[in-house]
Amino acid sequence: MQKVKAVINLSNIRQNAKTFLEHSKRLCAVVKANAYGHGAEEIALALSDIADLFATAILDEAIAIRHAVCGKDILVFAPPLTEEDAYEIAVNGFIGSVTSLYSARVFVRVSQKYRLPIKVHLKVNTGMNRYGMRPQELGKVCKLFAKQKQIQVQGIYSHLYACAFEQAERQREKFLRAVALCKRYFPTVIAHLSATYGAMLGERYTFDMTRVGLGLYGYLPISKRENGVVWLPALKKGMQVFAPVMESRVYQSGGAGYGTPKSINAGERICLCRYGYADGFLRTSKNGSELESAHLNNLCMDACVCKGERKRGEYLPVMLDAEKTASKTGTIAYEVLCAATRRAEFVYEK
């Protein structure tokens, strides 16, 4: 096999989900971006008996996992841009996000035109300034939907924009006011504010449901108990990534991939490892990979020349801890996880 191999431990991911569910009434499993690089369909299937709800970023992701969730609802974070988007959300039975008066009106038009029931969650802006309605807009949307028998307002949610307690508290207060307004019109809505960081702040932040993304896959947005953090869940890593050795030879002279090699003499052993920047790893030789110390030069698009003797066909670890890789490359574990399986073979262990 020529592909980079991603070994996914489903038991670890299931255990992580159960850990969060112990501290929440309901669990929304976030499987956007191919389940943070872990394979959305397999992860959704593995969590179908644990999660109460699944969430994706875009409509295509929801369509891809609709059978794997075994009848559970799927929330699509991105609002509809067009009536076609809203129609696809409705006919597939997904839950749409209403982030503005514009998206509310799109859902109403589609519901009336095709006589379709549509399930929605209202997204409010409490400070992230990404998707979400202002309080004034939320009131107008609630009034509009209260007159629509086919629109089922099932939830209201927001998102914390920083892992800092002071900002989180301000956002929580804004969210409380938004929930109170929404419940005047729709008393049974489910309120959810917490992602992984919010869950760590305790019951005051979980409300009716916790949305967990990063935590499902074994990582936390902060590594120590800071101001306001109630608990640090003990999580297990969900993925390790390996790359195959394709060639092994004695170096004589010339380059190592593109350019002059570093710290190698004629007669020393080198090997070619089948992973490169097209596989989701940084091109620079200092890229946080487990093989970083063996790199003789920058990565090529599809391969990397390394110092040392290795057996052809042997699989070498290139990513065992996304947090460790991220700290070396100036990014975050989220990005490493999403990139590291860009064109990998997935191997699932139960």
Side-chain angles (χ1 to χ4, degrees):
M1 178 61 71
Q2 298 174 330
K3 286 186 175 183
V4 168
K5 182 185 295 184
V7 180
I8 314 296
N9 191 311
L10 295 176
S11 296
N12 285 357
I13 294 171
R14 282 177 57 82
Q15 184 56 52
N16 293 339
K18 291 177 181 179
T19 296
F20 282 98
L21 192 53
E22 289 174 0
H23 293 260
S24 180
K25 299 173 184 176
R26 298 179 182 87
L27 178 70
C28 174
V30 181
V31 292
K32 63 180 182 176
N34 201 27
Y36 290 48
H38 293 69
E41 290 181 76
E42 288 285 348
I43 299 304
L45 183 60
L47 298 180
S48 62
D49 63 330
I50 300 173
D52 299 276
L53 178 70
F54 290 86
T56 65
I58 58 176
L59 178 58
D60 284 357
E61 293 174 340
I63 292 172
I65 65 165
R66 58 186 166 182
H67 300 301
V69 299
C70 300
K72 298 291 179 69
D73 278 330
I74 303 170
L75 170 64
V76 180
F77 288 143
L81 271 178
T82 64
E83 289 187 11
E84 182 181 358
D85 292 340
Y87 177 81
E88 289 296 326
I89 289 171
V91 296
N92 281 286
F94 302 146
I95 300 174
S97 288
V98 176
T99 65
S100 64
L101 190 56
Y102 170 84
S103 55
R105 286 169 174 163
V106 171
F107 277 124
V108 169
R109 288 198 301 271
V110 168
S111 176
Q112 292 175 345
K113 183 184 295 185
Y114 300 101
R115 299 181 181 179
L116 282 172
I118 302 178
K119 298 177 288 188
V120 299
H121 281 206
L122 310 183
K123 175 69 182 291
V124 294
N125 179 18
T126 58
M128 181 171 276
N129 294 309
R130 209 163 56 176
Y131 298 128
M133 293 175 275
R134 302 183 310 277
Q136 306 92 310
E137 202 171 11
L138 174 63
K140 292 178 181 179
V141 168
C142 287
K143 289 179 181 178
L144 173 63
F145 283 162
K147 300 174 183 177
Q148 308 297 321
K149 293 182 179 180
Q150 293 282 72
I151 303 292
Q152 305 167 21
V153 179
Q154 297 184 343
I156 180 170
Y157 72 106
S158 189
H159 200 301
L160 301 177
Y161 72 86
C163 293
F165 185 65
E166 290 73 17
Q167 287 94 322
E169 280 287 277
R170 287 195 289 271
Q171 286 192 255
R172 180 180 178 276
E173 290 302 315
K174 291 180 180 179
F175 186 62
L176 280 171
R177 292 193 290 272
V179 171
L181 172 58
C182 183
K183 286 193 173 184
R184 293 179 199 168
Y185 297 89
F186 312 105
T188 61
V189 291
I190 294 171
H192 48 113
L193 174 63
S194 297
T196 301
Y197 173 68
M200 296 163 64
L201 297 178
E203 293 181 3
R204 294 176 66 249
Y205 281 81
T206 55
F207 290 88
D208 301 311
M209 182 169 65
T210 300
R211 297 186 316 272
V212 185
L214 186 67
L216 287 176
Y217 310 107
Y219 295 88
L220 295 173
I222 60 173
S223 59
K224 59 183 179 180
R225 184 170 289 192
E226 298 174 346
N227 181 27
V229 173
V230 174
W231 68 300
L232 285 173
L235 304 177
K236 299 179 180 180
K237 301 291 188 293
M239 173 171 63
Q240 295 180 328
V241 181
F242 303 84
V245 175
M246 304 297 290
E247 301 282 357
S248 181
R249 61 168 60 93
V250 175
Y251 175 76
Q252 297 295 342
S253 63
Y258 294 106
T260 305
K262 303 170 184 176
S263 305
I264 186 74
N265 299 310
E268 293 189 66
R269 300 290 304 190
I270 62 173
C271 64
L272 181 70
C273 195
R274 221 306 294 146
Y275 92 112
Y277 58 82
D279 296 285
F281 295 86
L282 292 182
R283 175 177 175 271
T284 175
S285 62
K286 301 294 183 182
N287 68 353
S289 162
E290 297 293 324
L291 294 179
E292 182 182 282
S293 62
H295 292 163
L296 285 171
N297 214 331
N298 292 337
L299 276 66
C300 301
M301 181 182 289
D302 312 295
C304 175
V305 181
C306 295
K307 187 175 183 178
E309 183 172 6
R310 296 287 185 172
K311 184 179 179 181
R312 184 183 282 109
E314 179 183 359
Y315 276 84
L316 304 180
V318 290
M319 198 287 288
L320 300 180
D321 187 325
E323 207 164 62
K324 176 182 172 183
T325 300
S327 67
K328 290 184 176 181
T329 54
T331 184
I332 55 177
Y334 302 74
E335 183 178 7
V336 173
L337 292 170
C338 290
T341 59
R342 187 172 294 164
R343 57 176 182 180
E345 171 199 2
F346 289 85
V347 177
Y348 292 94
E349 296 182 343
K350 297 181 181 181

